[in-house]
Amino acid sequence: AVTRVTQSLDEAGIAAAAHAMSIQVFQLGGIVLLALSTVAQIVVPNRMVETVDPITKKKTGGPLSAKSAVNRLMSWGLVLGILLGALQIGVLPLLHKSSPLPEVREAAKMPSYLASIYQVINGLVFIGEGVMIGTGSFLQLSLSTLVATCATLLALNKFPLKYGLTGVWMSFGVFNTIRLLGVWLHQTKN
């Protein structure tokens, strides 16, 4: 749906080229944050298992230990999201030199800023969804993703008509914000 909407914005392909540039910006930080999702999938279930050291008889792990690990991971997600977003904003002038067409560079400007800002949300969402996978909360994750997808499709039908390519990226914001709400609901419920 995103590709169809983006390609329909103009006949010259300026929006499509600008979208490709913005996706590159988005993926700079997204790859790092997605890797943290995998870390959360591994760390949290391991921390949920309570073990007793046979020599010291000291207990480690368990639900409180897992919750502590989740809180640390979420904090790291927020910090890294902020840092990666700021870094991406800092390198935008360099990325925008990758197109010789001034109209493409101009069209990519606002979506690239949105892509950078969304890294803050992604830092929390990717780790939170990794936690959901690690704890086996597949139904809640699926429902959250389903609701976010439906809302995004609605946004893609409205925002681009008024805001052009920026509206497409605003739709990504809808998707990630609703996923963040799903993560928040999971974190506060457990």
Side-chain angles (χ1 to χ4, degrees):
V2 171
T3 302
R4 180 183 47 80
V5 170
T6 302
Q7 289 176 342
S8 71
L9 290 174
D10 66 66
E11 296 288 323
I14 292 169
H19 181 67
M21 285 177 64
S22 300
I23 286 286
Q24 289 173 346
V25 171
F26 191 65
Q27 290 176 341
L28 281 175
I31 291 170
V32 172
L33 297 172
L34 197 54
L36 285 176
S37 172
T38 306
V39 170
Q41 292 173 35
I42 296 167
V43 168
V44 174
N46 285 330
R47 284 301 201 82
M48 290 174 72
V49 177
E50 192 172 284
T51 59
V52 178
D53 185 298
I55 297 169
T56 64
K57 306 294 185 210
K58 182 179 177 187
K59 289 183 182 180
T60 59
L64 289 177
S65 176
K67 185 65 174 171
S68 176
V70 168
N71 291 340
R72 276 194 309 279
L73 287 165
M74 294 297 284
S75 297
W76 274 108
L78 178 62
V79 168
L80 285 172
I82 291 169
L83 291 174
L84 288 168
L87 175 67
Q88 287 177 210
I89 288 173
V91 299
L92 280 181
L94 298 174
L95 286 173
H96 287 168
K97 294 192 185 302
S98 65
S99 173
L101 304 173
E103 48 281 329
V104 172
R105 290 193 302 263
E106 186 60 33
K109 196 174 287 182
M110 184 53 74
S112 295
Y113 281 115
L114 290 175
S116 299
I117 291 166
Y118 292 159
Q119 296 304 358
V120 177
I121 297 172
N122 289 343
L124 296 169
V125 168
F126 289 175
I127 289 175
E129 288 181 347
V131 169
M132 293 168 84
I133 292 168
T135 59
S137 303
F138 301 114
L139 179 61
Q140 187 175 357
L141 176 58
S142 298
L143 291 173
S144 170
T145 305
L146 177 66
V147 170
T149 300
C150 290
T152 302
L153 291 172
L154 290 172
L156 279 169
N157 283 321
K158 300 290 181 196
F159 293 164
L161 296 174
K162 185 168 184 170
Y163 301 106
L165 183 58
T166 299
V168 171
W169 281 83
M170 290 166 65
S171 300
F172 285 155
V174 168
F175 182 68
N176 288 337
T177 301
I178 292 175
R179 289 170 58 212
L180 179 60
L181 177 61
V183 165
W184 178 78
L185 289 170
H186 181 261
Q187 296 298 320
T188 57
K189 166 186 121 170
N190 297 320

